[in-house]
Amino acid sequence: MTKRLLIIDSNLYASRLYHDLIRTDNIVDIDTLTKVIKDRLSWMLSRHQPTHVVSVYDVGKSTYRTAIYPNYKKNRKHNQERELFIRYFRTVIESSGVCCISSEGVEADDIVATIVNRRMDIFGENIITVIDSSDKDFRQLVSGSCSLFIREKKWLYTQNAFVSYYHFAPNRFPLFLALFGDVSDSITPVLNKAPLESKYEHLKGIFEMVARCHDQDSLLDWSWEHYADHAMAKRVINNADRLDRNIKLVTLLNNIDISELTADRMDICHIQR
């Protein structure tokens, strides 16, 4: 039987469920809420047909990233009710037999990246993996054996789909994010849209730049060469420090300590259907 790993970005999944219930004013009793969560889990298992599952959570902000940039995610307001909802979501998922993992001061994104990076150590092979999340940061992890499922669109984001849209390899996505910025994480762009530049022209210019330059060093080399005749190149050089900072912020860490995570813990044989 072909092994398949499902990684659930449960922090985001639970947060979206919480806001869906609040937005529709569909506040339910605890028994109904438990059933809703279990039904969601059942749907994911049915959709992805995994042999192994792990549910990943945040515990506080990333100490690594706030040390680099104190304003990281500063625009996000703390919501105690939502945090309690996420904890209850985890309780239900964990009681169903799903392996749950988190680490104080470590973002779920970095734990996911580490699991993807360490599949050979954990399973003895780079097993087929699906990350269930709409978080765009995970696009940098897409490969021939790792896809991203965007649940809102019911769309499996494969390596071919990524390259078809962006015209560069997924491992260059941090370079794109560093240039484009990320409002949701309070990361200011290296390349702001020029006043007379359309959104399409702005994106196209960044896509072409990332397709041309495979990493930060080659981007800086190219930008110095074209400093005098290319507006975007000039902005890259003038914001070189921000580029360096942004790349550190958006690149997922893949060396988190997850030594307690084993293939057996993630086996679906432990899940109560």
Side-chain angles (χ1 to χ4, degrees):
M1 182 180 182
T2 303
K3 294 178 184 176
R4 291 176 60 88
L5 171 63
L6 171 62
I7 306 175
I8 306 171
D9 179 12
S10 293
N11 226 76
L12 181 57
Y13 202 111
S15 185
R16 292 282 171 85
L17 177 57
Y18 166 80
H19 287 294
D20 285 346
L21 294 174
I22 293 297
R23 185 174 61 249
T24 58
D25 200 27
N26 190 18
I27 308 301
V28 294
D29 61 81
I30 199 71
D31 290 336
T32 304
L33 177 58
T34 300
K35 184 178 184 305
V36 168
I37 295 171
K38 287 186 174 181
D39 285 348
R40 295 291 180 97
L41 172 62
S42 179
W43 184 90
M44 282 188 280
L45 296 177
S46 176
R47 170 63 178 77
H48 300 296
Q49 295 291 309
T51 57
H52 297 78
V53 183
V54 60
S55 177
V56 187
Y57 300 83
D58 289 329
V59 181
K61 286 186 179 179
S62 165
T63 53
Y64 164 76
R65 291 182 178 83
T66 52
I68 295 171
Y69 184 48
N71 287 331
Y72 179 69
K73 291 190 175 180
K74 205 164 186 176
N75 57 340
R76 299 195 184 186
K77 295 179 180 178
H78 179 72
N79 184 326
Q80 184 64 30
E81 186 180 67
R82 183 186 62 205
E83 294 304 313
L84 290 172
F85 183 92
I86 293 172
R87 286 184 205 171
Y88 184 71
F89 182 96
R90 177 171 183 165
T91 299
V92 174
I93 294 294
E94 206 157 19
S95 67
S96 297
V98 176
C99 173
C100 294
I101 184 171
S102 60
S103 183
E104 183 68 41
V106 176
E107 288 191 66
D109 295 18
D110 295 322
I111 297 175
V112 171
T114 301
I115 295 170
V116 171
N117 183 51
R118 290 199 54 219
R119 285 174 296 169
M120 182 64 74
D121 297 332
I122 297 170
F123 297 98
E125 59 181 291
N126 282 330
I127 69 171
I128 297 170
T129 302
V130 174
I131 303 167
D132 191 310
S133 176
S134 56
D135 188 338
K136 61 182 174 296
D137 292 341
F138 290 131
R139 294 178 190 184
Q140 63 191 273
L141 301 179
V142 170
S143 68
S145 61
C146 182
S147 302
L148 178 63
F149 182 72
I150 303 176
R151 67 181 69 96
E152 288 81 5
K153 297 180 179 179
K154 304 291 188 293
W155 185 34
L156 191 64
Y157 212 76
T158 63
Q159 185 177 39
N160 287 340
F162 181 97
V163 174
S164 177
Y165 181 78
Y166 287 101
H167 302 289
F168 54 80
N171 62 1
R172 299 189 192 186
F173 193 68
L175 187 59
F176 166 77
L177 272 185
L179 294 170
F180 190 70
D182 189 347
V183 175
S184 65
D185 288 344
S186 306
I187 299 175
T188 50
V190 169
L191 296 174
N192 284 298
K193 189 171 76 69
L196 298 180
E197 185 180 42
S198 70
K199 184 177 180 180
Y200 170 77
E201 290 171 331
H202 180 62
L203 271 174
K204 183 172 181 288
I206 296 177
F207 282 5
E208 290 174 350
M209 189 171 276
V210 177
R212 183 184 296 115
C213 308
H214 62 276
D215 60 16
Q216 181 180 357
D217 289 339
S218 62
L219 173 62
L220 290 171
D221 288 344
W222 181 86
S223 297
W224 273 119
E225 289 175 16
H226 297 272
Y227 184 85
D229 58 13
H230 198 290
M232 279 190 168
K234 183 177 291 187
R235 279 182 277 166
V236 167
I237 296 302
N238 291 343
N239 290 293
D241 288 343
R242 184 182 297 176
L243 173 66
D244 184 65
R245 180 201 71 193
N246 284 5
I247 287 178
K248 290 174 181 174
L249 292 174
V250 302
T251 301
L252 300 183
L253 303 178
N254 62 9
N255 56 354
I256 304 300
D257 180 12
I258 56 169
S259 53
E260 79 278 14
L261 195 63
T262 64
D264 179 67
R265 279 191 64 194
M266 293 184 277
D267 198 302
I268 62 166
C269 69
H270 302 297
I271 299 176
Q272 301 169 15
R273 300 281 182 152

